Amino acid sequence: MRPQAGRVRGLDRGSTLAIAVSKGRILSEFRILLDRIGIKPAEDPETSRSLVIPLKDRGLRLVIVRAADVPTYVDYGAADFGVAGKDVLLEYRGEGFYEPLDLDIARCKLVVAGKAEPLPRAGRLRVATKYVQTTRRHFAQKGDQVEVIHLYGSMELAPLVGLADCIVDLMDTGNTLKANGLVVLETIAEVSARLIINKAAMKVKNASVKALIAELAEAVDQTATDRKPER
Ligand code: ATP
Ligand code: PRP
């Protein structure tokens, strides 16, 4: 049975706030926001093998998890905060967290892509993706019957080898699609990483939680302002 949010046993939770985050592009961009508000990790999370990284002087710590697992840790209260892509949040079914802030990092789009030729009209379209729920929802809303093929990576290969008619995957520069002779057929969602917060933590640790959200919101605004001249 699911433990009550905020009541997970195991790690000594103490009075610190835990932030679940995945290594790679999300952590590297999130660190820039933390840096802006003067928060630095006690050791380099990218090179450390430790999965719990204290942040200096602030009663905060990072817990390092897989990108798709971030909502689960926060939903169950094993982490107070999480940083997760909107793509991951759209797939997740739990309701144990709020999504108070768009961090405006790890920006990309969730798209339907396929070969630059008309999709077959007869029969059910076969769509390969790791975003099974979002894909089902998207085509159901359009009234299209599709067969969803669940893959864990290298989605771009599926139309090339005849496994699927099209794919639902992330696109940023478009280089991966282009290198595989695929084009965007439709955009499903604009994606960026969001700050999520466990509902119980929001109640119980309200003051410190709200203070951190406000500081991060300020850092997001500053980053946007600094970026403006480039656009
Ligand atoms: P894992 O490494 O655990 O298999 P993953 O491949 O989804 O997971 P990342 O590639 O680091 O991990 O992606 C994490 C998040 O970053 C995604 O959920 C998405 O929100 C965002 N993202 C993924 N690909 C891109 C991209 N090409 N450009 C910008 N953001 C991206
Ligand atoms: C992501 C995504 C695409 C690629 C799109 O893969 O799954 O393949 O980025 O980015 P682009 O439009 O800039 O080429 P990623 O690099 O994260 O590899 P992974 O799926 O193996 O994690």
Side-chain angles (χ1 to χ4, degrees):
M1 202 177 81
R2 172 179 296 209
Q4 213 181 323
R7 295 278 177 83
V8 169
R9 292 176 193 281
L11 269 180
D12 166 25
R13 295 175 52 75
S15 60
T16 64
L17 292 173
I19 309 173
V21 63
S22 57
K23 277 191 186 181
R25 56 170 58 89
I26 290 208
L27 179 56
S28 62
E29 293 191 45
F30 184 57
R31 276 183 75 178
I32 297 170
L33 291 177
L34 289 178
D35 208 46
R36 273 190 180 272
I37 56 176
I39 297 180
K40 293 194 189 310
E43 54 185 308
D44 183 356
E46 290 297 346
T47 52
S48 171
R49 300 294 298 167
S50 174
L51 297 175
V52 182
I53 311 269
L55 298 172
K56 284 184 197 156
D57 309 326
R58 295 290 293 261
L60 296 168
R61 60 188 170 189
L62 298 177
V63 291
I64 308 295
V65 305
R66 292 286 294 267
D69 292 335
V70 169
T72 307
Y73 277 81
V74 180
D75 190 6
Y76 280 73
D80 303 290
F81 285 100
V83 180
K86 187 68 188 176
D87 52 322
V88 166
L89 296 175
L90 286 170
E91 277 294 290
Y92 193 75
R93 286 153 183 252
E95 292 181 347
F97 52 79
Y98 301 111
E99 188 191 313
L101 185 62
D102 183 344
L103 295 167
D104 199 17
I105 57 174
R107 282 207 157 275
C108 53
K109 291 174 198 282
L110 186 66
V111 301
V112 183
K115 292 192 205 166
E117 60 192 48
L119 288 169
R121 289 190 176 191
R124 284 207 299 173
L125 209 61
R126 280 188 298 169
V127 189
T129 188
K130 72 175 178 186
Y131 300 101
V132 172
Q133 307 305 334
T134 310
T135 299
R136 287 221 175 95
R137 238 177 6 241
H138 173 72
F139 285 99
Q141 271 163 11
K142 301 200 318 168
D144 292 342
Q145 291 250 331
V146 299
E147 182 179 346
V148 178
I149 300 175
H150 189 187
L151 295 179
Y152 292 89
S154 299
M155 254 72 74
E156 293 84 359
L157 182 64
L160 308 184
V161 297
L163 176 61
D165 300 304
C166 60
I167 62 172
V168 168
D169 197 13
L170 298 174
M171 182 199 78
D172 176 24
T173 61
N175 290 340
T176 311
L177 290 182
K178 197 170 166 203
N180 292 289
L182 302 179
V183 295
V184 174
L185 303 174
E186 226 180 316
T187 296
I188 297 180
E190 297 289 333
V191 169
S192 56
R194 313 295 165 97
L195 185 73
I196 58 173
I197 164 89
N198 173 268
K199 284 183 175 172
M202 185 70 146
K203 265 197 201 136
V204 175
K205 306 176 184 177
N206 191 269
S208 47
V209 159
K210 279 201 167 153
L212 184 62
I213 296 171
E215 280 188 88
L216 284 170
E218 181 71 29
V220 171
D221 285 349
Q222 277 174 16
T223 308
T225 308
D226 291 353
R227 250 195 241 134
K228 260 184 195 148
E230 290 169 28
R231 283 183 177 161

